[in-house]
Amino acid sequence: MSKFEEKTIQSKEIFDGKIIKVSVDDVLLPNGEISIRELVKHQGAVAVIAVTEDRRFLMVEQYRKPLEKAIVEVPAGKLEPGEAPEVTAVRELEEETGFTTDQLEYVTSFYTTPGFCDERIYLYYTDQLVPITEEKALDEDEFLECQSYTMAELDQLVKDERIHDLKTMYALQYLKLRGF
Amino acid sequence: MSKFEEKTIQSKEIFDGKIIKVSVDDVLLPNGEISIRELVKHQGAVAVIAVTEDRRFLMVEQYRKPLEKAIVEVPAGKLEPGEAPEVTAVRELEEETGFTTDQLEYVTSFYTTPGFCDERIYLYYTDQLVPITEEKALDEDEFLECQSYTMAELDQLVKDERIHDLKTMYALQYLKLRGF
């Protein structure tokens, strides 16, 4: 048994969407009381740190509706059910950047918002990029622009809050600790 | 106008909970087509990197229902409506660790899951900790344990996936880049 475990008494589904499911669970607390937990279920995702031969970093800019602004992020995308994360990683890299790789290094994985959501992101790194000849289609409701940046440019984007999401800010620190 | 802006045509509220609100919005895409966006609204939160005089780091262990396991995290908590993040930060530090500070340094802010949620976390740092004499009450459904760790111990907790959330893993990188 995990410390402070909260056993589910019953789970009520609130919403079953394309990206997320939402439920409200009654749980038994460690002190014997009952409380509720609002839970968002997500398929999980991958993100790829992609470094070019001349030490530039591939990033994608896209509009993020919850923030009501466009931000610059590491290439990333949702897992398909049953898909191995490294397969998703190569697919998203190809679709979003026009490059592929056969040398993908697993960095780590993390939960983005453990308080209410089970989204887990698997992070990869590659500095072995090969341009693909055939353009891959994005999702039909996906609009983004890929560009490469120097580390100094990325630092400025963070200051300007044009890079403003945690996985990308983690990726930048990772690169610095790796010597970039 | 922001790049690739998605204008809201209509917003349908699905759920109005204690922690999150969920809506499904019809949006106008840059190509004139209409799509839907599933959106989770969250009040926002703070997290505090708390360093003791002997260079140990205060962390809290708690059960995270979405993950169905207990994990070790930096002290953190949700903003109250209208509350300044630095006020929340001191309150959560006191409640969760038994220490307070009058020297809180703002580090940065970030969105945790920009694809579907507007949760923004404000991150602070302090190495000026003063024990409080009067114990502060946690929320009634909150159970956690505070402990201090060395950096080597934190690295091991990451390897063991007992530290497994992105804000805490970002905080560890931040400390290393700061010379710890």
Side-chain angles (χ1 to χ4, degrees):
Chain A
M1 195 184 113
S2 188
K3 194 180 278 184
F4 306 130
E5 184 167 357
E6 300 174 353
K7 284 194 189 299
T8 305
I9 298 168
Q10 65 169 23
S11 179
K12 186 181 159 201
E13 184 175 288
I14 301 290
F15 176 63
D16 184 2
K18 207 176 56 159
I19 310 294
I20 56 169
K21 292 181 187 196
V22 180
S23 69
V24 176
D25 286 16
D26 293 333
V27 299
L28 186 65
L29 298 176
N31 65 355
E33 302 283 327
I34 287 169
S35 189
I36 62 155
R37 295 285 178 246
E38 298 166 9
L39 302 170
V40 176
K41 286 192 174 35
H42 185 282
Q43 192 65 43
V46 300
V48 184
I49 300 171
V51 186
T52 67
E53 231 172 331
D54 54 348
R55 293 169 75 89
R56 294 174 71 89
F57 308 95
L58 298 185
M59 297 279 158
V60 296
E61 184 168 8
Q62 63 192 307
Y63 193 77
R64 291 305 204 172
K65 186 64 186 166
L67 285 49
E68 296 289 11
K69 68 173 182 178
I71 57 172
V72 175
E73 299 170 58
V74 286
K78 287 181 296 294
L79 290 168
E80 298 293 336
E83 190 176 46
E86 58 273 17
V87 173
T88 318
V90 173
R91 178 168 48 77
E92 292 291 341
L93 182 68
E94 293 178 352
E95 287 176 8
E96 297 195 345
T97 72
F99 289 87
T100 190
T101 187
D102 58 3
Q103 287 185 56
L104 206 59
E105 186 183 317
Y106 174 69
V107 175
T108 190
S109 81
F110 36 69
Y111 289 96
T112 48
T113 50
F116 63 91
C117 178
D118 67 352
E119 185 194 32
R120 181 175 181 172
I121 294 182
Y122 298 83
L123 180 66
Y124 295 89
Y125 169 94
T126 181
D127 53 19
Q128 301 294 316
L129 294 167
V130 181
I132 53 174
T133 45
E134 204 179 324
E135 201 176 319
K136 303 277 173 140
L138 292 166
D139 293 343
E140 59 182 13
D141 62 352
E142 203 174 18
F143 297 84
L144 55 80
E145 204 171 82
C146 178
Q147 216 178 307
S148 74
Y149 299 91
T150 63
M151 185 55 82
E153 288 167 341
L154 293 177
D155 284 337
Q156 189 59 46
L157 288 171
V158 172
K159 281 197 189 102
D160 297 342
E161 297 189 341
R162 287 186 57 209
I163 288 177
H164 209 181
D165 78 302
L166 184 45
K167 69 176 175 313
T168 305
M169 290 166 70
Y170 179 92
L172 265 53
Q173 286 188 337
Y174 171 80
L175 285 165
K176 287 180 183 179
L177 288 167
R178 199 172 161 136
F180 284 99
Chain B
M1 196 184 113
S2 190
K3 195 180 278 185
F4 307 129
E5 184 169 355
E6 300 174 354
K7 284 195 189 300
T8 305
I9 298 167
Q10 66 170 22
S11 179
K12 187 181 158 203
E13 184 174 287
I14 301 289
F15 176 64
D16 184 2
K18 209 177 53 159
I19 310 293
I20 56 169
K21 291 180 189 197
V22 180
S23 70
V24 177
D25 287 17
D26 294 332
V27 299
L28 186 66
L29 299 176
N31 66 355
E33 301 283 325
I34 288 169
S35 189
I36 62 156
R37 295 286 177 246
E38 298 166 10
L39 303 170
V40 176
K41 288 193 171 35
H42 186 282
Q43 192 65 43
V46 300
V48 184
I49 300 172
V51 186
T52 66
E53 230 171 332
D54 53 351
R55 294 170 73 88
R56 294 174 71 89
F57 307 96
L58 299 185
M59 297 280 157
V60 297
E61 184 169 8
Q62 63 193 307
Y63 193 78
R64 291 304 203 173
K65 186 65 185 165
L67 284 50
E68 296 289 10
K69 67 173 183 179
I71 56 172
V72 175
E73 300 170 58
V74 285
K78 286 180 296 296
L79 290 168
E80 298 293 337
E83 189 176 46
E86 58 272 19
V87 174
T88 318
V90 172
R91 177 168 48 77
E92 291 291 341
L93 182 69
E94 292 178 351
E95 287 176 10
E96 296 195 348
T97 73
F99 288 88
T100 191
T101 186
D102 58 4
Q103 286 184 55
L104 205 58
E105 185 183 318
Y106 174 68
V107 175
T108 191
S109 81
F110 36 69
Y111 289 96
T112 49
T113 52
F116 63 90
C117 178
D118 67 351
E119 186 194 31
R120 182 175 181 171
I121 295 183
Y122 298 82
L123 180 65
Y124 295 89
Y125 169 93
T126 182
D127 53 19
Q128 302 294 316
L129 294 166
V130 181
I132 53 173
T133 46
E134 205 179 324
E135 201 177 319
K136 303 278 173 138
L138 292 167
D139 293 342
E140 59 181 14
D141 62 351
E142 202 174 20
F143 297 85
L144 56 81
E145 205 171 82
C146 178
Q147 215 177 307
S148 74
Y149 299 91
T150 63
M151 185 54 82
E153 287 167 341
L154 293 177
D155 285 337
Q156 189 58 48
L157 288 171
V158 171
K159 281 199 188 99
D160 297 342
E161 297 189 339
R162 287 184 59 209
I163 288 179
H164 208 181
D165 78 303
L166 185 44
K167 70 175 175 311
T168 305
M169 289 165 70
Y170 179 91
L172 266 54
Q173 287 181 331
Y174 171 80
L175 285 166
K176 287 180 183 179
L177 288 167
R178 199 173 160 133
F180 283 100

